[in-house]
Amino acid sequence: MKVLLRTSFISFIMLGIILPLAAADRAKTLYNKGRDAEAKQNYEQAYECYKQAYDLKPNNLSYRTSFERLRFLAGASHVHRGQLLREAGQLDAALAEFQKAVEIDPSSTIAKQELQHTQQMIEAAKNLPRAAAPPAPNYLEKRIQEAGGPVELAPISNVPINLKITEDSKVIYETVGKLAGINVLFDPDYTSRRIKIELNNVSLEEALQIIAVETKTFWRPVTPNTIFVATDNPAKRKDLEQVVIKTFYLSNLSQPQELQDVTNALRQILEIQRVQSLPSEGAIVVRGTPDQMALAQKLVGDLDKSKAEVMVDVAVMQISRDKSRTLGISPPTSGTIQLQPNITSTTTTPTTGAGTVTPTTSTSTPNGINLNTFGNLNATDFTVNISPATATALFTDSNTKLIQKPQIRAIDGQKASLKIGQRVPVATGSFQPGIGGVGINPLVNTQFQYLDVGVNIDLTPKVHASGDITLKITMEVSEVDGTSSIGGITQPIIGQRKIEHEVRLREGEVNLLGGMMEDQQTRSLTGFPLLSQIPILRYLFGQTSTDHSETETVFALIPHIVRKEDITDLNQEALDAGTGSSISLRRVSHPAQAAPPAGPNPSSQRPSQQSAPPTTSSFGFEPPTIVESQGATFAVNVMLHGAQNAYSVPFQVNYDPRTLQVVNVSNGTLLSQDGLAVALVHRDDDTTGTLQVTATRPPGANGISGQGAVATLTFMAKAPGQSTLTISKGGTRDPGMQPSLVAGASATVTIH
């Protein structure tokens, strides 16, 4: 039992040691895979590997920083792929990419904007009703919860009317007012005159607008069912028009000048005189007419947009390679001859004895000789010194690679700076203060200026509506190469590589700003004259040194759009803002469709020769059965049988977008059989497989009767399968635009 417990305990301890080691080893493997994927610019795979490594070892700072850093790049990669898919018409696939981008980087505003925009495009393509927009805020919040806003006329019936009358203008106003169910009041100073009005198929509100233009008057609502009419002149408008006040809070201001720009736009464009900007609150208070206020709200909405933002990847790559070679023998280049320190010489002196000679020895002073001993010097009295000879064989090869990849995030139109390096002091001047007194040596004060040495980047981005990015950039890479003494002060020598550039790029496009290739070669020869210049002997009597230095510097930019300016269709819409002398909005009314006149069916009023047997108008396809191979294109005619007085032929063709693709729609021969040009309009929705076509004869032309081809449709077979072409909605219209129903048709298409 004890042995079993001891074995279990040891196993438990070993398991506790092995599991953390295995987890750490797996996390390191995933981290290395992520680094390899990042080097290949596969940011999505790198993000997944870093995320798994971080989940295994959340306390590892390297794993966490890599995971957080790749979050943005992986999300931007999905956004870019989604934009390409959306441009190709693949909305569902693009929507999935944008959803992945939001899941990876929830802080990405561009991903959220693109996701919402794609959802709206899909809803519009499917003709789904959009969610109801939130109700517009009432003016002054019901007069501060109770006070009413500007009086608005109650909705008037949009049933079209026809009115032909020549009468006093007051009578005409009152007549239209009775038809609309509203009361009409007149200014006491109003002078009416007799006019002629002829209105055909207009709504009641449009009739009031036409009468105001004809009589040079204007009207404003007093109550929801009462209008007040007065002569149209600036004095009357100033006295009678309503005035409202509103405060606009701007939420996207980044500079004080932007608030003043919006204020100037309100004053210049809408001619609103009472406009007050409040920089401390980022707000504008406006007082004007209801129409001016509505236009001011649109203008503020157009101008108060969040500015686009850009993330720029900057790569500074520098490669240096140095080679040097020294080969040969450095021969002796100098020699010296020196007397021995103590020179002893022997002299012979003759004597007077029997012709004998007796030698005499004399000693000279150290390092010196006299004239008596000069002639008796020999080789032992000198020392010769010769410089040594040196044999050298040396080769040096060095490579240096420097890669710096900073990232800069900047707002559209605003300058961003990045400085990585040191601040080096440089003397700019000196002065000596004047101090009185004798024997006083005043000190000299030197002024210094600090220079940024390293990687210095200044850029200003501009995001265009097309998605292009213009970058105005100044990039400098500098270093201290040495020092020099100027006026007793040691000054640094700064090497500089600088480029100033303005370039327009696509989002994600790599651009090489510029490069510099420096190649320096130096060759030197030392040795004996003449002998060192002989090709073979120069290595014995000379030494050759060769230096080869190569330096290459490249600057690269990769811009990414982090946020783009959200411009809606309403921002770009042109509105009727009145005349040059007055600002006013014109309401658009949509008249109800007039009911077709009662009477016998037009098909029953055919000539007698066509009354037996009776025929019914119907569509048809020619040919009705089609068999094609994948990738082929084919044409099918849309036929109309039994047409009677057909002026315009609208119809809708449904097809399977998975197997078929619309290539072209061209005119048929039915409506142009008399030689007149036919206007053909079509709209294809390749997501739902709906093709809407309308063929119309020229204005003023008569209708066509008979049968023939209305249009020719050209399809491409995309994928194998069977598809059915159907016409479920369609008909004809006569020159009076009265509709007639036409029976539908179908055709079978088989693709193999």
Side-chain angles (χ1 to χ4, degrees):
M1 183 68 180
K2 292 182 178 180
V3 175
L4 181 61
L5 291 175
R6 184 180 303 171
T7 304
S8 301
F9 180 72
I10 295 175
S11 301
F12 180 76
I13 293 177
M14 294 299 295
L15 187 63
I17 296 174
I18 293 173
L19 287 178
L21 292 177
D25 185 66
R26 185 166 180 267
K28 186 176 180 180
T29 301
L30 290 170
Y31 177 74
N32 292 333
K33 289 178 61 178
R35 293 185 61 182
D36 294 340
E38 183 181 0
K40 298 176 182 178
Q41 297 185 353
N42 190 349
Y43 299 124
E44 300 165 22
Q45 181 182 355
Y47 168 77
E48 293 296 334
C49 293
Y50 288 149
K51 184 177 183 300
Q52 295 178 23
Y54 172 68
D55 292 339
L56 291 174
K57 299 290 291 182
N59 295 328
N60 192 305
L61 186 60
S62 298
Y63 299 167
R64 180 177 179 180
T65 54
S66 299
F67 162 67
E68 295 293 344
R69 178 170 51 83
L70 264 293
R71 181 194 297 271
F72 164 75
L73 293 176
S77 178
H78 281 290
V79 169
H80 184 60
R81 187 180 296 110
Q83 291 172 341
L84 295 178
L85 290 172
R86 189 177 61 193
E87 291 177 0
Q90 304 179 25
L91 298 181
D92 294 334
L95 182 67
E97 292 293 336
F98 294 137
Q99 290 173 343
K100 291 179 183 178
V102 174
E103 292 174 1
I104 293 175
D105 188 6
S107 64
S108 177
T109 306
I110 183 66
K112 296 178 181 178
Q113 291 175 346
E114 296 290 2
L115 177 63
Q116 182 180 3
H117 182 51
T118 306
Q119 288 175 339
Q120 293 175 354
M121 292 179 64
I122 293 176
E123 291 178 359
K126 294 181 179 179
N127 294 324
L128 295 178
R130 296 184 179 179
N138 293 328
Y139 288 92
L140 300 177
E141 293 294 333
K142 289 292 183 178
R143 197 172 290 176
I144 315 303
Q145 296 302 327
E146 287 298 332
V151 179
E152 295 186 4
L153 196 63
I156 302 175
S157 174
N158 61 353
V159 176
I161 64 170
N162 297 312
L163 179 64
K164 297 181 181 180
I165 185 173
T166 302
E167 192 54 79
D168 188 83
S169 59
K170 287 187 176 181
V171 176
I172 297 176
Y173 261 119
E174 291 172 347
T175 301
V176 176
K178 291 179 181 179
L179 292 174
I182 61 175
N183 303 316
V184 182
L185 304 179
F186 294 95
D187 182 63
D189 298 333
Y190 176 69
T191 302
S192 62
R193 58 187 179 88
R194 190 178 181 86
I195 61 173
K196 178 181 179 181
I197 292 292
E198 183 174 348
L199 305 176
N200 294 314
N201 199 29
V202 297
S203 66
L204 292 171
E205 190 165 355
E206 289 176 343
L208 290 174
Q209 295 173 356
I210 294 172
I211 297 172
V213 173
E214 183 68 24
T215 58
K216 295 184 179 180
T217 59
F218 76 97
W219 55 269
R220 73 170 182 87
V222 180
T223 65
N225 65 341
T226 304
I227 63 173
F228 188 86
V229 181
T231 304
D232 190 1
N233 59 64
K236 284 296 181 181
R237 282 188 174 271
K238 184 176 180 180
D239 293 339
L240 298 177
E241 279 190 327
Q242 302 178 76
V243 176
V244 294
I245 187 172
K246 183 176 176 63
T247 302
F248 297 97
Y249 291 93
L250 281 68
S251 58
N252 296 291
L253 296 176
S254 57
Q255 294 180 349
Q257 182 61 33
E258 297 176 3
L259 183 64
Q260 188 61 39
D261 291 342
V262 178
T263 302
N264 295 337
L266 295 177
R267 288 174 177 167
Q268 297 295 328
I269 303 301
L270 301 181
E271 299 180 354
I272 302 177
Q273 301 301 324
R274 294 177 174 85
V275 181
Q276 180 63 47
S277 60
L278 302 173
S280 60
E281 297 292 335
I284 299 176
V285 182
V286 183
R287 180 171 179 260
T289 65
D291 289 345
Q292 286 178 325
M293 201 63 60
L295 290 172
Q297 182 166 350
K298 179 187 182 303
L299 193 57
V300 170
D302 295 342
L303 300 179
D304 185 26
K305 294 288 187 181
S306 58
K307 289 185 174 296
E309 294 186 52
V310 177
M311 177 77 77
V312 182
D313 294 333
V314 182
V316 181
M317 295 168 284
Q318 183 174 347
I319 301 175
S320 300
R321 184 173 184 178
D322 296 327
K323 290 183 179 181
S324 62
R325 185 185 65 181
T326 303
L327 183 64
I329 298 176
S330 179
T333 57
S334 63
T336 60
I337 300 176
Q338 185 178 2
L339 293 174
Q340 290 290 349
N342 296 310
I343 299 177
T344 301
S345 60
T346 302
T347 59
T348 301
T349 305
T351 60
T352 58
T356 61
V357 178
T358 302
T360 303
T361 301
S362 62
T363 302
S364 64
T365 60
N367 296 327
I369 59 175
N370 51 40
L371 294 176
N372 294 327
T373 61
F374 187 79
N376 299 315
L377 293 177
N378 53 39
T380 60
D381 296 327
F382 297 94
T383 300
V384 178
N385 295 322
I386 300 174
S387 61
T390 305
T392 305
L394 180 63
F395 177 76
T396 303
D397 188 357
S398 63
N399 290 328
T400 303
K401 296 181 180 180
L402 175 62
I403 299 178
Q404 296 176 329
K405 297 180 63 177
Q407 290 182 330
I408 305 176
R409 181 166 178 168
I411 299 178
D412 182 23
Q414 297 189 13
K415 180 181 177 181
S417 299
L418 175 66
K419 300 182 184 299
I420 303 175
Q422 300 175 335
R423 293 177 61 84
V424 177
V426 177
T428 58
S430 61
F431 67 94
Q432 184 175 6
I435 301 177
V438 179
I440 298 177
N441 185 15
L443 298 178
V444 176
N445 294 330
T446 304
Q447 297 176 342
F448 289 90
Q449 178 182 1
Y450 285 85
L451 301 180
D452 295 314
V453 177
V455 178
N456 303 317
I457 302 173
D458 295 328
L459 64 86
T460 304
K462 174 61 181 176
V463 180
H464 301 277
S466 61
D468 291 354
I469 306 169
T470 296
L471 294 176
K472 184 177 182 181
I473 186 167
T474 300
M475 184 181 301
E476 175 185 331
V477 179
S478 56
E479 59 185 352
V480 177
D481 291 338
T483 59
S484 64
S485 179
I486 303 176
I489 300 177
T490 301
Q491 298 277 40
I493 300 175
I494 299 176
Q496 184 183 61
R497 295 175 179 86
K498 183 177 181 181
I499 184 171
E500 295 184 4
H501 198 54
E502 185 170 349
V503 63
R504 179 165 177 166
L505 304 172
R506 293 287 297 174
E507 198 275 339
E509 180 181 355
V510 180
N511 176 64
L512 296 179
L513 279 183
M516 184 182 69
M517 179 68 181
E518 181 180 353
D519 191 342
Q520 181 178 358
Q521 297 184 10
T522 304
R523 184 176 180 276
S524 61
L525 175 64
T526 59
F528 287 147
L530 299 178
L531 293 178
S532 62
Q533 297 176 350
I534 299 175
I536 297 177
L537 299 180
R538 63 182 177 184
Y539 295 106
L540 299 176
F541 298 96
Q543 181 174 283
T544 302
S545 298
T546 303
D547 295 326
H548 187 192
S549 175
E550 294 181 358
T551 302
E552 184 176 3
T553 304
V554 177
F555 304 96
L557 293 180
I558 308 174
H560 302 280
I561 297 179
V562 181
R563 183 201 309 270
K564 69 177 183 179
E565 194 172 7
D566 188 12
I567 299 178
T568 63
D569 294 338
L570 182 60
N571 299 140
Q572 299 179 342
E573 184 178 354
L575 299 179
D576 186 352
T579 64
S581 60
S582 63
I583 301 294
S584 62
L585 290 176
R586 178 179 60 86
R587 295 185 177 182
V588 179
S589 59
H590 302 281
Q593 292 290 339
N601 193 325
S603 62
S604 64
Q605 299 181 355
R606 296 171 182 165
S608 58
Q609 63 269 21
Q610 297 182 0
S611 60
T615 59
T616 305
S617 299
S618 63
F619 286 109
F621 289 103
E622 187 181 89
T625 303
I626 303 167
V627 178
E628 290 290 345
S629 58
Q630 182 180 358
T633 58
F634 61 92
V636 59
N637 294 322
V638 177
M639 308 297 294
L640 179 59
H641 304 284
Q644 294 294 327
N645 199 20
Y647 171 77
S648 177
V649 181
F651 61 91
Q652 177 177 307
V653 178
N654 296 324
Y655 63 94
D656 187 356
R658 295 172 299 180
T659 58
L660 297 178
Q661 177 181 347
V662 177
V663 177
N664 186 34
V665 179
S666 58
N667 278 316
T669 58
L670 177 62
L671 298 183
S672 60
Q673 58 182 276
D674 56 355
L676 296 180
V678 175
L680 185 67
V681 179
H682 71 278
R683 180 174 179 267
D684 177 36
D685 188 347
D686 57 1
T687 58
T688 59
T690 304
L691 175 63
Q692 298 177 355
V693 183
T694 301
T696 307
R697 287 171 57 78
N702 297 324
I704 294 295
S705 299
Q707 64 181 10
V710 179
T712 300
L713 312 181
T714 303
F715 292 92
M716 183 183 73
K718 293 171 55 179
Q722 189 172 14
S723 176
T724 302
L725 302 178
T726 59
I727 298 179
S728 58
K729 297 180 181 180
T732 62
R733 292 180 180 272
D734 61 14
M737 300 307 291
Q738 297 301 319
S740 296
L741 296 177
V742 178
S746 63
T748 303
V749 180
T750 303
I751 302 173
H752 56 78

